[in-house]
Amino acid sequence: MKLPVPAPQVSEMLMSHHDQLSKILSANLGPEVNGVYEHWDKLRHRTPPAGLTPEEWWLAIRFRRSGMAKRLPLVDSAQKHFVLSLTDSMQRRLHFIDREAAGAIKGMDASGSQGRFLIRSLIEEAMTSSQLEGAATTRAVAKEMLSTGRPPRDQSERMIYNNYVAMNMIRERGVRPITPEEVLELHSILTDGTLEAASDCGRFRTAEDNVVIYDRGSPPTLLHIPPPASQVSDRLAKLCAFVNDGAGEPFIHPVVRAIVLHFQIGYDHPFVDGNGRTARALFYWAMMNAGYWLTEYLSISSVLKKSPAKYMRAYLYTESDGQDVSYFVAQQLEALEESIQALHAYIAKKNQEDRAARRVLRSAKVGEVVLNHRQRALLVNALKDPDRVYTVASHQAAHTITYPTALNDLNVLVGAGLLLKQRIGKANEFLVVPGLGKKLAL
């Protein structure tokens, strides 16, 4: 990844453009360009408004941003405060998140499917957050591992399993302050069995670790040097105080606080490895603490994984333009909105598939296969809980039937392509095929 061209220093531009200030200010330009919080690296290639040079255009934008900026109680490596300028487009996204992530989702309980959507989101977030850090496992394998409870078989699976355990822990423990001790515990859970040295789990980096951030190109590019290791403990304590202090001054929207927490963990890099996974998990924790209950149904990492370069650039833009964290906030708000819209679309699609599948099941026939009432009941249950595992014994007990009858029921569903059979030890387990609702609705 190429480093962005640093933004021109405002003080230097004022000296070289002082005779044009009246023209620049009278242009009355906003802090964004067509709703985008542009960085100089992109803006310098665009056509400026009539009568302005690119430098004058940038100076007009920086004037507007500076006038609305808030200084955060968090600093960079040189002890310079990060600043935040919330624009109209960011405020609109915050309003959308306030409305959608703290209230009821239409269709969520249409078929008693909250648990189904929760499991799906936990698996998706665990998988994609790990894939952002290099895990190489398919969705099908990750889902099979987490839904059946089998132990992970390699480092990639271990990363996903750890993420899943950590996300469940955050959800189950409920609202509580974020402390440095619990951040260390979270990091230990997330990195257990995935680092080169087991002793690196749940501890801060030291000067001997010499942690610096390179991209994966050839040759690699130095992207970021975190603050000195000697500052890590104190910086994390101040960060926890910031994110827990919802009533503090200046007022910072709780969603923005959660995003800044995410940013600062990535910037400070308090650990030898696993910083990205820890940052994203802490973001979920802060959102849940602030009452955004829908967060547990979202997978932010799924959105970030589609454009990891955009995610990284948001960090680099902040560092190369006066520590303006607005770049990162804008990118994360966009990802949050996209994630919520994706959940809406998923729920609507699954409810439509379920309704169509139930109409088919009422006819007692799927394709050329005639289903009895027991098989139809199992499939209805499978639509609600697609991650459930069935056995001959469980089907036998549910309907008080003989073993051969239960085995025949399940084998017929396997033959119809509605269940998958796998051998575990001395017994067979039957899994729901992916996309059962769509398959039944055809």
Side-chain angles (χ1 to χ4, degrees):
M1 172 178 288
K2 289 178 61 177
L3 289 171
V5 173
Q9 293 294 315
V10 172
S11 58
E12 296 177 3
M13 294 182 68
L14 284 173
M15 292 179 63
S16 59
H17 293 81
H18 66 276
D19 56 338
Q20 302 294 322
L21 282 182
S22 177
K23 178 183 70 172
I24 292 170
L25 292 173
S26 64
N28 195 31
L29 297 173
E32 296 183 313
V33 181
N34 298 324
V36 177
Y37 204 85
E38 289 282 29
H39 187 274
W40 169 250
D41 190 52
K42 293 285 186 70
L43 190 83
R44 64 196 178 99
H45 297 298
R46 299 176 67 114
T47 302
L52 296 179
T53 66
E55 290 78 11
E56 291 168 344
W57 187 19
W58 177 250
L59 189 55
I61 288 173
R62 290 295 281 115
F63 272 136
R64 285 297 302 274
R65 292 178 182 177
S66 297
M68 61 198 302
K70 290 182 178 181
R71 192 176 79 162
L72 301 179
L74 302 171
V75 297
D76 69 359
S77 300
Q79 301 303 303
K80 181 180 178 181
H81 284 266
F82 288 100
V83 296
L84 170 69
S85 300
L86 283 180
T87 64
D88 287 343
S89 65
M90 296 181 207
Q91 298 280 13
R92 276 192 289 270
R93 285 196 162 108
L94 284 169
H95 175 63
F96 173 82
I97 294 164
D98 282 341
R99 189 181 70 236
E100 300 295 332
I105 283 285
K106 184 178 179 181
M108 178 72 81
D109 59 352
S111 57
S113 52
Q114 294 96 327
R116 161 186 169 186
F117 293 135
L118 178 59
I119 293 296
R120 173 250 182 192
S121 67
L122 288 173
I123 291 175
E124 186 73 13
E125 179 59 24
M127 179 184 66
T128 53
S129 182
S130 299
Q131 288 174 335
L132 279 168
E133 304 301 318
T137 300
T138 66
R139 177 177 282 98
V141 171
K143 184 176 180 180
E144 178 270 327
M145 173 185 68
L146 295 174
S147 60
T148 62
R150 73 160 173 81
R153 293 177 296 209
D154 55 34
Q155 186 183 48
S156 290
E157 289 189 0
R158 186 74 191 182
M159 289 172 66
I160 294 170
Y161 174 81
N162 290 352
N163 258 286
Y164 184 74
V165 171
M167 295 297 294
N168 264 310
M169 181 196 77
I170 290 170
R171 183 177 65 85
E172 291 170 358
R173 288 189 180 180
V175 176
R176 68 199 188 284
I178 298 175
T179 65
E181 293 75 22
E182 290 214 61
V183 174
L184 285 168
E185 180 190 8
L186 180 64
H187 179 262
S188 180
I189 293 170
L190 285 165
T191 58
D192 181 38
T194 68
L195 304 184
E196 289 186 13
S199 59
D200 290 339
C201 296
R203 74 158 177 91
F204 296 134
R205 61 180 168 88
T206 65
E208 288 73 26
D209 294 316
N210 191 29
V211 172
V212 292
I213 315 305
Y214 284 90
D215 71 355
R216 297 174 181 171
S218 180
T221 301
L222 177 63
L223 300 178
H224 174 61
I225 301 175
S230 59
Q231 298 178 9
V232 164
S233 180
D234 183 56
R235 291 176 69 89
L236 182 58
K238 290 178 179 177
L239 179 59
C240 289
F242 165 78
V243 78
N244 292 329
D245 187 15
E249 295 293 340
F251 172 76
I252 304 295
H253 193 286
V255 174
V256 176
R257 282 183 186 271
I259 292 172
V260 171
L261 169 64
H262 179 168
F263 168 85
Q264 191 81 25
I265 293 293
Y267 179 88
D268 287 353
H269 246 65
F271 308 107
V272 174
D273 198 0
N275 293 279
R277 284 170 278 167
T278 304
R280 289 185 290 275
L282 285 171
F283 165 78
Y284 274 85
W285 185 351
M287 289 287 285
M288 297 293 289
N289 276 356
Y292 293 92
W293 69 271
L294 186 72
T295 308
E296 64 182 345
Y297 292 91
L298 303 177
S299 176
I300 308 302
S301 296
S302 295
V303 178
L304 301 180
K305 181 173 171 284
K306 295 176 184 176
S307 184
K310 189 175 182 180
Y311 179 38
M312 178 57 70
R313 276 196 298 270
Y315 276 104
L316 299 177
Y317 284 168
T318 292
E319 197 166 1
S320 61
D321 184 17
Q323 309 308 349
D324 185 358
V325 78
S326 312
Y327 292 105
F328 192 81
V329 170
Q331 189 270 333
Q332 290 291 297
L333 287 175
E334 182 182 348
L336 259 174
E337 183 178 39
E338 185 177 338
S339 183
I340 291 172
Q341 290 172 340
L343 177 63
H344 279 292
Y346 178 80
I347 290 172
K349 175 188 171 194
K350 298 311 291 184
N351 285 336
Q352 182 180 16
E353 287 180 0
D354 287 357
R355 287 192 295 271
R358 283 181 171 81
R359 285 196 297 270
V360 172
L361 289 175
R362 283 197 295 270
S363 72
K365 191 173 183 181
V366 176
E368 299 301 317
V369 180
V370 178
L371 302 177
N372 59 43
H373 70 280
R374 298 182 303 274
Q375 292 164 326
R376 296 200 304 273
L378 184 149
L379 292 174
V380 168
N381 181 274
L383 289 171
K384 295 180 181 179
D385 186 7
D387 297 308
R388 181 172 174 178
V389 176
Y390 299 90
T391 64
V392 176
S394 68
H395 188 62
Q396 181 183 2
H399 298 282
T400 319
I401 53 179
T402 64
Y403 186 92
T405 301
L407 178 60
N408 182 69
D409 280 353
L410 296 172
N411 282 334
V412 168
L413 295 176
V414 172
L418 304 176
L419 292 181
L420 299 172
K421 181 164 65 173
Q422 65 178 15
R423 190 77 175 177
I424 303 295
K426 295 183 179 180
N428 287 316
E429 289 185 348
F430 297 82
L431 309 175
V432 180
V433 296
L436 177 64
K438 184 176 181 180
K439 192 176 184 70
L440 288 172
L442 292 177

